[in-house]
PDB file of all heavy atoms in Angstrom:
ATOM      1  N   ILE A 154     110.814 -66.081 -19.924  1.00 99.00           N
ATOM      2  CA  ILE A 154     110.069 -66.004 -18.679  1.00 99.00           C
ATOM      3  C   ILE A 154     108.620 -66.198 -19.104  1.00 99.00           C
ATOM      4  O   ILE A 154     108.027 -65.457 -19.957  1.00 99.00           O
ATOM      5  CB  ILE A 154     110.251 -64.692 -17.961  1.00 99.00           C
ATOM      6  CG1 ILE A 154     111.655 -64.625 -17.444  1.00 99.00           C
ATOM      7  CG2 ILE A 154     109.200 -64.531 -16.800  1.00 99.00           C
ATOM      8  CD1 ILE A 154     112.006 -63.131 -16.846  1.00 99.00           C
ATOM      9  N   VAL A 155     108.015 -67.218 -18.616  1.00 99.00           N
ATOM     10  CA  VAL A 155     106.608 -67.501 -19.080  1.00 99.00           C
ATOM     11  C   VAL A 155     105.662 -66.835 -18.092  1.00 99.00           C
ATOM     12  O   VAL A 155     105.829 -66.780 -16.856  1.00 99.00           O
ATOM     13  CB  VAL A 155     106.307 -69.081 -18.918  1.00 99.00           C
ATOM     14  CG1 VAL A 155     104.856 -69.312 -19.003  1.00 99.00           C
ATOM     15  CG2 VAL A 155     107.081 -69.818 -19.966  1.00 99.00           C
ATOM     16  N   VAL A 156     104.709 -66.161 -18.557  1.00 98.00           N
ATOM     17  CA  VAL A 156     103.698 -65.352 -17.985  1.00 98.00           C
ATOM     18  C   VAL A 156     102.285 -66.092 -18.109  1.00 98.00           C
ATOM     19  O   VAL A 156     101.853 -66.208 -19.362  1.00 98.00           O
ATOM     20  CB  VAL A 156     103.525 -63.980 -18.330  1.00 98.00           C
ATOM     21  CG1 VAL A 156     102.382 -63.256 -17.612  1.00 98.00           C
ATOM     22  CG2 VAL A 156     104.749 -63.243 -17.973  1.00 98.00           C
ATOM     23  N   PHE A 157     101.765 -66.644 -17.040  1.00 98.00           N
ATOM     24  CA  PHE A 157     100.480 -67.302 -17.210  1.00 98.00           C
ATOM     25  C   PHE A 157      99.307 -66.220 -16.855  1.00 98.00           C
ATOM     26  O   PHE A 157      99.439 -65.652 -15.776  1.00 98.00           O
ATOM     27  CB  PHE A 157     100.190 -68.471 -16.108  1.00 98.00           C
ATOM     28  CG  PHE A 157     101.183 -69.595 -16.380  1.00 98.00           C
ATOM     29  CD1 PHE A 157     102.410 -69.796 -15.693  1.00 98.00           C
ATOM     30  CD2 PHE A 157     100.784 -70.569 -17.320  1.00 98.00           C
ATOM     31  CE1 PHE A 157     103.273 -70.907 -16.013  1.00 98.00           C
ATOM     32  CE2 PHE A 157     101.607 -71.662 -17.511  1.00 98.00           C
ATOM     33  CZ  PHE A 157     102.885 -71.827 -16.899  1.00 98.00           C
ATOM     34  N   SER A 193     108.700 -68.197 -13.818  1.00 98.00           N
ATOM     35  CA  SER A 193     107.305 -68.267 -13.995  1.00 98.00           C
ATOM     36  C   SER A 193     106.620 -67.079 -13.349  1.00 98.00           C
ATOM     37  O   SER A 193     106.813 -66.943 -12.150  1.00 98.00           O
ATOM     38  CB  SER A 193     106.784 -69.631 -13.632  1.00 98.00           C
ATOM     39  OG  SER A 193     105.352 -69.626 -13.563  1.00 98.00           O
ATOM     40  N   LEU A 194     105.846 -66.418 -14.116  1.00 98.00           N
ATOM     41  CA  LEU A 194     104.891 -65.378 -13.438  1.00 98.00           C
ATOM     42  C   LEU A 194     103.495 -65.568 -13.676  1.00 98.00           C
ATOM     43  O   LEU A 194     103.235 -66.170 -14.848  1.00 98.00           O
ATOM     44  CB  LEU A 194     105.288 -63.916 -13.998  1.00 98.00           C
ATOM     45  CG  LEU A 194     106.709 -63.427 -13.892  1.00 98.00           C
ATOM     46  CD1 LEU A 194     106.905 -62.116 -14.586  1.00 98.00           C
ATOM     47  CD2 LEU A 194     107.114 -63.344 -12.449  1.00 98.00           C
ATOM     48  N   SER A 195     102.692 -65.460 -12.594  1.00 98.00           N
ATOM     49  CA  SER A 195     101.350 -65.731 -12.963  1.00 98.00           C
ATOM     50  C   SER A 195     100.419 -64.648 -12.476  1.00 98.00           C
ATOM     51  O   SER A 195     100.672 -63.873 -11.546  1.00 98.00           O
ATOM     52  CB  SER A 195     100.807 -67.112 -12.110  1.00 98.00           C
ATOM     53  OG  SER A 195     101.243 -66.981 -10.840  1.00 98.00           O
ATOM     54  N   ALA A 223     106.598 -66.017  -9.300  1.00 99.00           N
ATOM     55  CA  ALA A 223     106.000 -64.829  -8.542  1.00 99.00           C
ATOM     56  C   ALA A 223     104.672 -64.471  -9.262  1.00 99.00           C
ATOM     57  O   ALA A 223     104.390 -65.098 -10.286  1.00 99.00           O
ATOM     58  CB  ALA A 223     107.020 -63.608  -8.757  1.00 99.00           C
ATOM     59  N   LEU A 225     101.935 -61.502 -10.659  1.00 98.00           N
ATOM     60  CA  LEU A 225     101.948 -60.216 -11.237  1.00 98.00           C
ATOM     61  C   LEU A 225     100.426 -59.681 -10.989  1.00 98.00           C
ATOM     62  O   LEU A 225      99.518 -60.483 -10.884  1.00 98.00           O
ATOM     63  CB  LEU A 225     102.141 -60.074 -12.796  1.00 98.00           C
ATOM     64  CG  LEU A 225     103.517 -60.312 -13.307  1.00 98.00           C
ATOM     65  CD1 LEU A 225     103.440 -60.216 -14.808  1.00 98.00           C
ATOM     66  CD2 LEU A 225     104.386 -59.095 -12.777  1.00 98.00           C
ATOM     67  N   ILE A 245     111.824 -58.678 -19.730  1.00 98.00           N
ATOM     68  CA  ILE A 245     111.781 -58.237 -18.213  1.00 98.00           C
ATOM     69  C   ILE A 245     112.945 -58.736 -17.416  1.00 98.00           C
ATOM     70  O   ILE A 245     113.645 -59.717 -17.752  1.00 98.00           O
ATOM     71  CB  ILE A 245     110.491 -58.661 -17.631  1.00 98.00           C
ATOM     72  CG1 ILE A 245     110.329 -60.153 -17.576  1.00 98.00           C
ATOM     73  CG2 ILE A 245     109.275 -58.029 -18.331  1.00 98.00           C
ATOM     74  CD1 ILE A 245     109.058 -60.570 -16.851  1.00 98.00           C
TER      75      ILE A 245
END
Side-chain angles (χ1 to χ4, degrees):
Chain A
I154 295 173
V155 168
V156 174
F157 292 100
S193 166
L194 300 176
S195 53
L225 282 179
I245 64 180

